[in-house]
Amino acid sequence: MTEKNNKQNSNVYSLYPRKLKMQISAIFILIILFYFYSLSKTGSDFLLLLLDFPTIFNKLVSMFPPNWDYIPLAIDPLIETIQVAVVATTFSILICIPASLLAANTVTTNKFVYQATRTILNILRTIPDILLATIFVSLFGIGIIPGILALTIFSLGLLAKLLSESIETIDSKQLDAISSTGANKIQVIWYGVVPQVLPQFISYGLYVFELNVRASLVLGFVGAGGIGTIIDTQLNFLKYQNVMAILIVLLVAVIIIETISNMLRRRVV
């Protein structure tokens, strides 16, 4: 038994040669050094944060008890936030269907169209939603329109990427079989592509809707409408108890939305 254990241990050690261990250690040390270098250059002082913890704790305590009388005033902005997420998700879904087909090499055989579409989607996905909202607020003014446009563009890049990758992994033999019967391109997509990616498409749509609900909250801080706007206003007036009441309402709404979304996703996928 002892010889057998020794052989097993030697096999385990042989899987990690000395050179590989040294490389892993060197990479780990470089990461640690880069971490401390980033802390020094960004001026991040966690010790100062710990010293200021009593002040932070007092501000958190000042948020309690929540001002329950303020909750009715937060319902309409919350509904507006959900409506913004619904409209933006709907627009992005409608636009991403043709965009994802053009960005999938199993459907689009033209390399120029394929690469151009993917490049455009990559550009849209790299622009932060809050930056888009800031730009649209400066163009169209404060309101829900900038929020809808920002979330639509941001969701389009994300949703089209997920859907196009799903289309690229489908069974291409089914597409060839349908094409061999004389079907045109639209018929091939409808009978060959849609049945294979529909469950994933619905799941991705629900996931993006959940993201948009959270993102629309942040966009309100730059004047893009929704419940984030009144949170920003109450914070500016130091009405922390009102803010806590709004956060409780928002938490309940997010839990309900996620529960319904998960139920739908389990039924579809």
Side-chain angles (χ1 to χ4, degrees):
M1 287 293 293
T2 304
E3 294 180 358
K4 185 177 180 181
N5 291 334
N6 292 332
K7 289 182 180 180
Q8 290 178 350
N9 292 331
S10 61
N11 291 332
V12 171
Y13 290 129
S14 64
L15 294 175
Y16 301 97
R18 183 179 181 83
K19 183 178 180 181
L20 179 59
K21 291 180 181 179
M22 294 179 62
Q23 290 176 347
I24 294 175
S25 300
I27 293 173
F28 182 75
I29 292 172
L30 288 175
I31 293 174
I32 295 297
L33 292 175
F34 183 74
Y35 169 75
F36 285 105
Y37 174 78
S38 301
L39 286 179
S40 63
K41 288 298 182 181
T42 56
S44 302
D45 191 350
F46 288 99
L47 179 60
L48 182 61
L49 179 64
L50 293 176
L51 294 176
D52 288 342
F53 182 77
T55 304
I56 298 173
F57 180 76
N58 291 332
K59 287 186 177 181
L60 291 175
V61 171
S62 66
M63 301 178 73
F64 294 92
N67 184 9
W68 303 110
D69 295 333
Y70 193 80
I71 288 180
L73 299 177
I75 299 300
D76 288 341
L78 175 63
I79 295 174
E80 185 179 81
T81 297
I82 297 174
Q83 290 171 342
V84 169
V86 169
V87 174
T89 305
T90 303
F91 285 168
S92 62
I93 286 175
L94 294 177
I95 300 173
C96 91
I97 293 175
S100 59
L101 292 172
L102 294 175
N105 54 18
T106 52
V107 177
T108 303
T109 56
N110 190 312
K111 292 185 178 180
F112 175 77
V113 175
Y114 170 76
Q115 291 294 342
T117 305
R118 292 190 71 88
T119 301
I120 294 173
L121 294 177
N122 288 335
I123 293 173
L124 295 179
R125 197 168 56 254
T126 56
I127 304 176
D129 50 358
I130 194 167
L131 176 59
L132 290 170
T134 304
I135 295 173
F136 287 129
V137 166
S138 64
L139 293 176
F140 303 106
I142 295 174
I144 64 173
I145 298 299
I148 291 175
L149 294 176
L151 289 179
T152 298
I153 294 176
F154 180 76
S155 302
L156 173 61
L158 177 61
L159 189 57
K161 174 181 173 57
L162 295 174
L163 184 58
S164 62
E165 290 181 350
S166 296
I167 294 175
E168 289 182 343
T169 59
I170 63 176
D171 185 7
S172 59
K173 294 181 180 179
Q174 295 187 23
L175 306 184
D176 296 336
I178 297 174
S179 298
S180 64
T181 62
N184 56 35
K185 197 71 172 180
I186 296 178
Q187 291 174 328
V188 171
I189 293 173
W190 183 255
Y191 294 104
V193 177
V194 173
Q196 296 189 65
V197 300
L198 185 59
Q200 292 89 342
F201 177 59
I202 295 175
S203 178
Y204 294 152
L206 293 173
Y207 171 68
V208 169
F209 171 68
E210 295 176 14
L211 290 181
N212 284 339
V213 171
R214 296 179 176 87
S216 59
L217 167 66
V218 179
L219 298 186
F221 285 87
V222 295
I227 198 170
T229 303
I230 65 170
I231 292 178
D232 184 42
T233 302
Q234 297 303 311
L235 285 174
N236 291 334
F237 286 103
L238 305 180
K239 301 291 186 179
Y240 296 123
Q241 293 178 337
N242 293 347
V243 173
M244 178 54 67
I246 297 171
L247 293 178
I248 291 174
V249 172
L250 184 63
L251 176 63
V252 172
V254 169
I255 292 175
I256 294 174
I257 291 172
E258 285 190 352
T259 302
I260 296 174
S261 178
N262 291 333
M263 290 174 59
L264 294 174
R265 191 180 289 110
R266 284 194 296 267
R267 287 180 176 272
V268 172
V269 180

